[in-house]
Amino acid sequence: MADQIEAAKRRAAERAVADHFDPSFRYVGIGSGTTILYVVDAIKASLEKSAAASSTAVDERRGSLDPSSSIQFVPTGYQSRQVIVRAGLTPLAFDSLPESVTLDVAFDGADEVDDELNCIKGGGACLFQEKLVATRAKKFVCVADYRKNQSRLLTAWPAIPIEVVPLAVYSVIARLRALGSTDPKVRAGLLAKSGPDQTDQGNFIIDAKFPGPLLTRGDLLVAQKRGEEWAMLDKTGTGRNGEGRWEVESLAREIKSITGVLDVGLFVGENGYEASKRVASGGKAAHGLEAGQKPVSCYFGMQDGSVETKEAQSSY
C-alpha cells in the first residue's frame, strides 16, 4: 500500500510539473510535505533536459551545465528549503522577494481537496508560510494522491489545523467551541516531554474538529435560492446550517477573526487567475479572505496508475 501511494504521488507530481512548469520561469514556490519531493525531482529533470537541449545553457567558464542558475525557489518552511538545497537548486526566502515580484507558480500538496478546489492544509504545521507563498503566486498548483480527493472537506481528513500564538491557546479553544468545534486540541510534538508541536514561527497548532462534511459555496447558493435563513449572509445568516455544518468560506472568516489566530488551514476564496482578473477590472477582494489561496488545478495520482485532475471552473 505504501509503495502504491508513493507511486501515485510521483505520477501526479510529474504530470503537474509537465503542465505548469517552464524552465524560463524566474520565481517558483515550493511547498511542504512528502509529495513535494517528487515535484522537485520533476522540476530538476525538466531543467536538466532543457539545459542539455540548449547550447546557451552551457557555462563556458566551468564547462558544465547550470540549468537552475536563473530560477529562484521560494520554500514554505525549513523542510522545503532543505529539499530545494539538496536538489542543487537555489532557495530564496519569502521575505527576500522584491516587492514587485509575483511567483510564476507555486506547487504544494494538500490534506484534502473538495469539488470547488477548497483545500485543508497544515497537517505538516506549515500552513502560514504555505498561504504566504500561494497568495504571492500567479497560480497555485496542488499535487496529491487519491486519498485527498473528496467532494467536500472534512470527509476523510478529521480536523482543521489552525496556527495560534501560544499565549492565546485557551481563549482560542473557547472561541472554537463556541463556533461548534468538537474537542479542539493543541497538537502534541513527536516527544510528549517536549511539549506541543511548534511551527517555524514558534507558534502552536490547534486541530479543530467540526461537524462535516463542510458545505461549499455552491451548497450555499442552493440554500439561498430556497430562502434558508442561515445562508442569507447579507442579512442575518451565519453560514452555518441547522445541522451545525459550516459553509467553508464563512468558517474560514470566523476562525481567522479570532484574536490569537495567525492563520487557518482552509485555503478558500479566489484562485490566482480569479484574483488577477478582478484586479485588472478594478474589483475589490472578498472581505476577510486573502486572494489567491485556492489552486487553479489539482493533480491526484490514482490507484490504477492514472492521474486525475480537478480544474478551476471559472473562465478567465
Side-chain angles (χ1 to χ4, degrees):
M1 176 64 75
D3 289 344
Q4 182 185 63
I5 292 171
E6 294 307 308
K9 292 177 182 178
R10 181 180 292 279
R11 287 190 296 270
E14 291 172 348
R15 172 82 175 277
V17 169
D19 289 352
H20 290 279
F21 176 75
D22 191 296
S24 67
F25 285 166
R26 293 296 309 278
Y27 299 95
V28 174
I30 298 295
S32 311
T34 56
T35 306
I36 293 304
L37 298 173
Y38 302 116
V39 169
V40 171
D41 285 346
I43 288 174
K44 185 176 180 181
S46 175
L47 289 169
E48 290 173 344
K49 181 179 179 180
S50 175
S54 174
S55 60
T56 60
V58 177
D59 184 334
E60 297 292 345
R61 181 174 59 84
R62 294 185 300 167
S64 62
L65 296 174
D66 188 8
S68 63
S69 60
S70 64
I71 305 179
Q72 294 179 296
F73 295 85
V74 180
T76 58
Y78 176 82
Q79 179 252 359
S80 62
R81 186 182 189 282
Q82 298 311 304
V83 171
I84 293 167
V85 171
R86 285 196 295 269
L89 305 176
T90 304
L92 177 69
F94 182 86
D95 58 0
S96 295
L97 276 171
E99 184 177 348
S100 61
V101 164
T102 300
L103 304 180
D104 295 291
V105 63
F107 293 97
D108 206 348
D111 301 313
E112 198 165 57
V113 184
D114 72 12
D115 284 347
E116 294 184 357
L117 276 65
N118 299 299
C119 301
I120 292 178
K121 292 172 56 58
C126 298
L127 65 94
F128 175 64
Q129 291 193 46
E130 288 171 346
K131 193 168 285 190
L132 282 177
V133 170
T135 56
R136 188 72 176 268
K138 295 176 183 176
K139 57 182 178 179
F140 160 32
V141 176
C142 180
V143 185
D145 64 77
Y146 55 89
R147 300 171 300 168
K148 312 304 175 64
N149 184 11
Q150 303 292 336
S151 65
R152 300 291 185 274
L153 300 184
L154 293 184
T155 295
W157 194 257
I160 299 169
I162 304 163
E163 184 164 349
V164 178
V165 176
L167 184 65
V169 160
Y170 294 111
S171 61
V172 171
I173 285 176
R175 286 287 296 122
L176 291 170
R177 288 195 175 114
L179 293 175
S181 177
T182 57
D183 197 25
K185 290 184 176 179
V186 177
R187 186 181 299 175
L190 293 177
L191 296 175
K193 66 180 181 180
S194 299
D197 193 9
Q198 290 197 19
T199 69
D200 285 354
Q201 290 71 242
N203 295 320
F204 294 167
I205 296 290
I206 293 176
D207 291 306
K209 295 181 179 180
F210 281 87
L214 296 181
L215 303 171
T216 64
R217 186 71 176 171
D219 296 328
L220 182 76
L221 294 176
V222 170
Q224 288 176 347
K225 289 180 180 178
R226 293 174 179 165
E228 296 180 25
E229 185 176 350
W230 70 270
M232 304 302 176
L233 302 184
D234 59 340
K235 298 180 181 178
T236 59
T238 61
R240 180 184 181 188
N241 73 6
E243 299 173 349
R245 294 169 58 196
W246 282 92
E247 184 268 326
V248 62
E249 291 185 16
S250 299
L251 181 57
R253 288 190 185 93
E254 288 287 347
I255 295 175
K256 184 65 185 291
S257 70
I258 299 173
T259 301
V261 168
L262 178 61
D263 222 319
V264 54
L266 290 171
F267 284 54
V268 300
E270 293 178 324
N271 62 48
Y273 292 161
E274 291 167 332
S276 296
K277 182 178 179 181
R278 173 183 48 75
V279 170
S281 64
K284 294 183 178 180
H287 174 68
L289 294 177
E290 183 77 13
Q293 296 184 29
K294 278 168 53 171
V296 300
S297 301
C298 292
Y299 290 75
F300 302 97
M302 306 305 291
Q303 291 170 291
D304 64 2
S306 65
V307 176
E308 290 189 2
T309 63
K310 284 181 176 178
E311 303 286 341
Q313 295 302 307
S314 302
S315 58
Y316 312 109

